[in-house]
Amino acid sequence: MIELKHLKTLQALSQHGSLAATATYLHQTQSALSHQFSDLEHRLGYKLFIRKSQPVRFTPQGEVLLQLAQKVLPMVKDAIRVCNEPSVCALRIAIECHSCIQWLTPALQQFRQTWPQVNVDFKSGVTFEPQPELLSRELDIVMTSDILPEQELHYTPMFDYEVKLVVANDHPLAKKPLIEPQDLADDTLLLYPVQRQRFDIWRHFLQPAGISPNVKTVDNTLILIQMVAAKMGIAALPHWAVDSFEKQGLIKTKTLGSGLWSRLYAACREGEQRQPAIETFINTATNHAVENLSYVKSVRGSNAYAPTETQLSGSSLW
């Protein structure tokens, strides 16, 4: 029945001495403040202060509640301060793709400059599934494009990116203006060693067309690029991840169909997305990516679990 706002108002009334001065301090009308007190007194069944006294004089019941306010409100203020302070001493972060490290490292460095007291432990790879580790509290943030809607996780949109076909400079597909699923039927598709259903190109490009090319797994992005350049296969990777290799003349990128787009999310446990260290890291990484990566689209203002119309739902980092 007694709320924090009532305790704050009682404390303000004690400090300012009258309804008029208290109303001004609280940016309310005196009538509204008087009505608030009358309603509270009616619910409690007793008066809290003498209306016509100058300065205001509290009743015995009002004095009890005023003492409660003076005890409780500082505790609430201290608790909120502790919640907002960088009390987290370690932040365990994971990402499901080797190729993301090249842009994430500067973001990590920038975060450390702002939060030097937080020890950041970073894990990357393609052979593990980090979201279950997030739920078991072994990780704090996972950057992923795979959404597990049935789990108690919160996904903050970071940015959209295009997945491009990567081929050798002299590969027959390098000169083809439009890449269709059947163009890949007789080639070798180089994939990371995870389930094929986690790949955008497999789920949303090849499988709907009934195309199943030969697959070879590679667990290192640099080796994968070298194999593509040597015409040992083709691959599908984020455009920004292979842009530097294309500028060096090592490979060529091609648009898959009308464009295969995906969205990167920062996943954390539900209810922890507003923790200062976690929120700061996500914002820092997102801002750095949008400002420095080529071929990405900002998704500011987007909600979790809300893919754009151009995005292919349920996508992954590959």
Side-chain angles (χ1 to χ4, degrees):
M1 187 177 292
I2 295 292
E3 302 177 18
L4 284 179
K5 67 177 182 180
H6 298 139
L7 297 181
K8 291 179 180 178
T9 304
L10 281 171
Q11 188 178 66
L13 181 61
S14 173
Q15 294 171 345
H16 294 277
S18 69
L19 279 175
T22 303
T24 299
Y25 171 74
L26 296 176
H27 304 289
Q28 297 183 26
T29 65
Q30 184 174 342
S31 175
L33 187 61
S34 179
H35 178 76
Q36 177 184 338
F37 273 121
S38 296
D39 179 66
L40 178 60
E41 289 172 335
H42 176 74
R43 284 188 286 159
L44 292 173
Y46 42 76
K47 296 292 184 181
L48 296 175
F49 61 94
I50 308 303
R51 290 291 196 279
K52 296 182 179 180
S53 59
Q54 289 292 338
V56 68
R57 183 160 54 90
F58 288 88
T59 65
Q61 293 91 341
E63 288 287 354
V64 171
L65 293 183
L66 180 60
Q67 292 175 17
L68 178 65
Q70 293 169 342
K71 180 179 180 180
V72 169
L73 293 178
M75 295 173 62
V76 173
K77 184 178 180 180
D78 287 343
I80 293 175
R81 175 184 55 78
V82 169
C83 289
N84 289 329
E85 284 181 349
S87 56
V88 176
C89 60
L91 198 59
R92 297 157 300 179
I93 303 167
I95 196 162
E96 295 178 315
C97 177
H98 281 307
S99 58
C100 300
I101 298 175
Q102 62 188 45
W103 67 264
L104 191 58
T105 299
L108 285 169
Q109 294 172 345
Q110 185 178 347
F111 174 79
R112 288 195 187 100
Q113 292 175 0
T114 308
W115 295 69
Q117 70 276 41
V118 176
N119 180 35
V120 179
D121 185 16
F122 180 70
K123 181 178 181 180
S124 70
V126 296
T127 59
F128 76 112
E129 297 184 8
Q131 294 189 66
E133 295 185 30
L134 186 61
L135 290 168
S136 64
R137 310 192 76 83
E138 296 178 30
L139 293 171
D140 301 303
I141 302 174
V142 171
M143 280 165 284
T144 180
S145 291
D146 285 331
I147 292 178
L148 305 178
E150 301 302 322
Q151 305 293 346
E152 296 180 354
L153 299 177
H154 182 275
Y155 294 81
T156 300
M158 298 182 70
F159 57 85
D160 289 344
Y161 60 93
E162 187 177 6
V163 177
K164 301 294 286 282
L165 183 70
V166 186
V167 300
N169 291 324
D170 56 348
H171 192 284
L173 294 179
K175 296 181 179 180
K176 199 172 189 301
L178 181 65
I179 304 299
E180 300 290 353
Q182 56 268 25
D183 295 329
L184 312 186
D186 298 324
D187 222 316
T188 297
L189 182 62
L190 305 177
L191 298 176
Y192 293 119
V194 298
Q195 294 179 348
R196 297 178 185 181
Q197 287 299 314
R198 295 181 63 187
F199 294 94
D200 289 321
I201 189 172
W202 195 270
R203 284 188 295 186
H204 304 298
F205 189 72
L206 295 173
Q207 193 172 52
I211 303 299
S212 182
N214 181 46
V215 170
K216 183 177 181 61
T217 59
V218 184
D219 63 2
N220 182 284
T221 301
L222 291 177
I223 294 177
L224 185 150
I225 293 296
Q226 292 173 0
M227 292 177 67
V228 169
K231 297 180 67 173
M232 298 173 65
I234 58 177
L237 291 170
H239 198 167
W240 50 263
V242 296
D243 181 46
S244 61
F245 299 110
E246 186 170 29
K247 289 179 178 177
Q248 295 175 52
L250 299 177
I251 47 90
K252 286 188 179 297
T253 62
K254 306 293 294 185
T255 299
L256 291 162
S258 59
L260 185 61
W261 284 83
S262 188
R263 174 169 293 180
L264 187 68
Y265 293 88
C268 64
R269 288 175 290 276
E270 183 65 54
E272 297 184 8
Q273 63 270 19
R274 298 303 299 273
Q275 286 191 2
I278 290 177
E279 188 174 34
T280 300
F281 174 80
I282 293 174
N283 289 336
T284 299
T286 299
N287 292 338
H288 178 80
V290 171
E291 293 171 3
N292 293 278
L293 293 182
S294 303
Y295 312 107
V296 302
K297 294 180 181 179
S298 172
V299 290
R300 293 189 182 280
S302 298
N303 295 321
Y305 308 112
T308 62
E309 292 182 2
T310 57
Q311 178 194 15
L312 294 171
S313 62
S315 54
S316 69
L317 277 173
W318 309 292

